[in-house]
Amino acid sequence: MTDATIANLHGRRVWDSRGRPTVEVEVTLANGVSGRAIAPAGASMGTGEAVDLRDGGNAFGGLDVTNALAGVNGPIASALRAKDAYDQAGIDAALVELDGTPNLSRLGGNAVVATSMAVLHAAAASSGQPLWRYLAGDGPVRMPLPEIQIFGGGAHAARRVDVQDFMVMCPSAGSFSEALEWTAEVYRAAGALMKQADKLQGVADEGGYWPAFDSNEEALEALTRAISDTGLRPGKDVGISLDIAASEFGRDGRYTLALDGRTLDTAQLIDMLGRWLDAYPIVSIEDPLAEDDEPGFRQFTQTYGSRCQIIGDDFLVTNAARVEAAASSGAVNAVLIKPNQAGTVSEALAALRAGKKAGFGTIVSARSGETEDVTIAHLAVGWNAGQLKVGSFSRSERMAKWNEVLRIEEALGKQALFSGWAALPFYRASAIDSGSARRQC
Ligand code: PGA
Ligand code: ZN
C-alpha cells in the first residue's frame, strides 16, 4: 500500500450515449496514481432516486452540468483533499454529509456518484489490482449471468409498446462468454425476423431493436421465435426477461396501456402478467407494478415469486432500507443495483448486501444513458452479484461493459465460475418449454 491520500479532484463535462452532458471526475492521489469515472443517467427514474443536478435554461435542453462540475471542483474537492482513498466508506459518508439533503439534490447525484466511483478507481489502481479484484478482496467471485435487451420499448422507444425491456438470459450457457455468443445469435435472429416482417425501425436508447409492434404480446412472440430460430430452446437454454417499468404507465393502482388504449387496475395487470408467465418462457420480471403499488408487488410476488425472479428497480431505488422492508413484506425476490440511484458506491453496496442477506437475486445495472465507463462490470464481478444488466448487444456504451467482463473472465481463467442457473433460484420451468434440441455451440 502506498500513500493514497487524495491530492486533487477535477470535474469535466463529457457527453453520454444520448448526446447529453454528463459529469466525469478524475481523482489524483498523492502518490501520482489517478482514477476516473463518469456518471450515467436514467430516463425512467424512480421518485426515490438520488437527483442529478442540471442547469436548466436553454442550453442542451436544460441538461447542462456546469453547476454540478462547480461542486466537484469547489466544495467536493476541498472536502476530500488529504482524505484516504482506501477509506471508501469514509469518503462516501463525507460526500453525503457535505450535500446535506436526503436525495443529493444540492451537489447532484451525478457529481457525487462520479466522485465516489473515481475515488474507488484511484484506490484500486493505487493498490496495484484490477478493480474487480480490489473489490472482491479474498471473497469469492462469479462471472455474472448477463441480462441482455433484444427489443426496447416504453420510455426508451417513444412508448411503441408498454413494456420497456424485452431481454434474454442464457443460464444454461457454460460460461459468460458462451452466454454472450448465444445472445449474439438471438440478437441477429431477432433482427432478421423483424426485417423479414418489415417491422424494423431503428434501435431504442439501450441498443435493442425498436420494431413497429402492434402489441406487447407480439414482441413476446417474436422474441420466443427468435430464440427458437437459433436452435436454442426457449425456457431451457435461453429465458425471456422483462422490465415492465410499470411506474411509467401506472399510478394510484391504475395502469394505462398505450397500445390497447385500455386502463387496468392492479388485479387486472397482475392477471395479464400471469397469463404471459404461463404462455412465454419468462424467467425474470422487473417492476411489474408501479413504485407506489406496494400491495400490488406483494400480491404479485405471493402468487408468482416461487416460479420467477421478481426484481425491484424504481420500487427499491438501490436503497438498503427499502430492500430490508421489501424482504420482510415479501414484495419482491430480487433487487436491481444502480450506483447512481443510491448516489455512492458504499450505499449501492449496502443495498446489495441487504439483498443478499434476504436471499434475493442481485443484479448490477447500467442506465439508459451510458458512456464508455465500465465500472459496473467490475462491481458485478467484484461484489459477486450474480447478474449484470447493461442494455442491448449493440452500441459501444453497452458493448464496452460486456467486453470488459470478457477480459475479467480471461484473467480469471479456470477460476471464472459462471453463475448460470444458480443466479435464478426462483425460476421454475413451466409447461411452455419447447422440446427442440439444444444447439451445440
Ligand atoms: P433508466 O431505465 O436507466 O432509463 O432509468 C432502466 C431501467 O428501468 O432498468
Ligand atoms: Zn427498470
Side-chain angles (χ1 to χ4, degrees):
M1 296 259 176
T2 52
D3 179 15
T5 54
I6 294 173
N8 195 34
L9 237 91
H10 175 61
R12 72 170 66 86
R13 183 178 72 195
V14 294
W15 302 86
D16 75 11
S17 54
R18 285 190 275 246
R20 297 174 183 172
T22 188
V23 175
E24 174 169 273
V25 174
E26 193 150 346
V27 173
T28 310
L29 307 182
N31 59 20
V33 170
S34 64
R36 199 173 67 195
I38 309 176
S44 75
M45 289 174 285
T47 47
E49 293 193 19
V51 171
D52 285 346
L53 186 59
R54 304 278 183 180
D55 292 358
N58 291 330
F60 316 123
L63 296 173
D64 209 354
V65 291
T66 56
N67 292 322
L69 292 173
V72 173
N73 294 324
I76 294 180
S78 305
L80 297 193
R81 212 164 275 135
K83 284 206 176 341
D84 181 6
Y86 290 130
D87 179 17
Q88 187 74 40
I91 298 279
D92 289 340
L95 286 166
V96 168
E97 194 188 323
L98 181 66
D99 178 86
T101 70
N103 58 1
L104 301 178
S105 55
R106 198 172 76 81
L107 294 168
N110 43 0
V112 171
V113 80
T115 302
S116 177
M117 296 194 306
V119 170
L120 179 68
H121 278 280
S126 183
S127 79
Q129 299 171 88
L131 180 52
W132 63 269
R133 174 60 78 195
Y134 174 72
L135 289 164
D138 296 330
V141 295
R142 273 173 308 163
M143 303 310 295
L145 175 64
E147 186 184 17
I148 305 186
Q149 188 193 61
I150 306 297
F151 300 129
H156 300 160
R159 292 175 213 287
R160 177 71 218 186
V161 287
D162 303 295
V163 175
Q164 182 174 284
D165 295 316
F166 297 86
M167 298 169 285
V168 291
M169 300 177 103
C170 301
S172 291
S175 62
F176 177 83
S177 44
E178 190 174 46
L180 291 194
E181 288 168 16
W182 290 10
T183 305
E185 300 286 23
V186 175
Y187 188 73
R188 282 172 67 87
L193 204 60
M194 292 300 96
K195 191 155 184 252
Q196 203 182 12
D198 204 20
K199 294 250 171 194
L200 212 48
Q201 294 197 308
V203 293
D205 278 11
E206 298 190 11
Y209 297 115
W210 170 355
F213 288 129
D214 295 320
S215 67
N216 295 297
E217 287 83 355
E218 188 188 353
L220 286 162
E221 292 288 343
L223 186 48
T224 310
R225 166 97 191 273
I227 296 168
S228 300
D229 283 356
T230 65
L232 292 158
R233 296 168 304 177
K236 286 214 167 73
D237 301 320
V238 183
I240 291 179
S241 165
L242 300 176
D243 183 1
I244 308 297
S247 307
E248 290 294 309
F249 58 89
R251 67 188 312 162
D252 299 330
R254 309 292 299 164
Y255 296 88
T256 306
L257 302 177
L259 269 178
D260 319 31
R262 269 189 310 154
T263 299
L264 307 180
D265 63 20
T266 299
Q268 289 168 321
L269 178 62
I270 290 175
D271 279 354
M272 183 185 81
L273 297 177
R275 284 196 297 278
W276 292 357
L277 286 173
D278 286 338
Y280 304 101
I282 296 168
V283 296
S284 176
I285 196 159
E286 178 177 329
D287 281 349
L289 286 306
E291 61 185 358
D292 66 353
D293 196 350
E294 202 266 347
F297 266 97
R298 273 190 281 125
Q299 179 65 46
F300 189 77
T301 301
Q302 212 170 54
T303 314
Y304 299 111
S306 58
R307 58 186 273 197
C308 178
Q309 172 168 268
I310 300 165
I311 308 172
D313 171 18
D314 294 355
F315 179 58
L316 300 178
V317 290
T318 315
N319 178 298
R322 290 194 190 208
V323 175
E324 280 159 16
S328 40
S329 69
V332 294
N333 60 28
V335 54
L336 207 70
I337 302 293
K338 291 170 163 170
N340 80 326
Q341 274 183 334
T344 62
V345 169
S346 302
E347 289 162 288
L349 177 58
L352 178 122
R353 284 189 172 144
K356 286 195 169 193
K357 194 166 165 219
F360 283 6
T362 54
I363 307 98
V364 171
S365 171
R367 301 309 302 249
S368 52
E370 272 292 336
T371 65
E372 67 274 24
D373 187 288
V374 295
T375 309
I376 57 162
H378 290 265
L379 299 183
V381 178
W383 286 348
N384 205 14
Q387 299 173 64
L388 176 62
K389 179 186 180 197
V390 168
S392 193
F393 206 67
S394 73
R395 306 189 7 162
S396 290
E397 81 277 7
R398 312 291 150 190
M399 304 317 292
K401 276 81 159 170
W402 303 131
N403 291 340
E404 185 73 357
V405 181
L406 288 176
R407 293 182 196 102
I408 299 171
E409 183 181 48
E410 191 180 275
L412 272 164
K414 286 203 169 63
Q415 285 156 22
L417 301 177
F418 179 53
S419 298
W421 284 109
L424 295 173
F426 302 103
Y427 177 62
R428 298 282 169 279
S430 61
I432 37 81
D433 295 331
S434 89
S436 66
R438 177 170 168 180
R439 194 184 58 156
Q440 298 298 304
C441 257

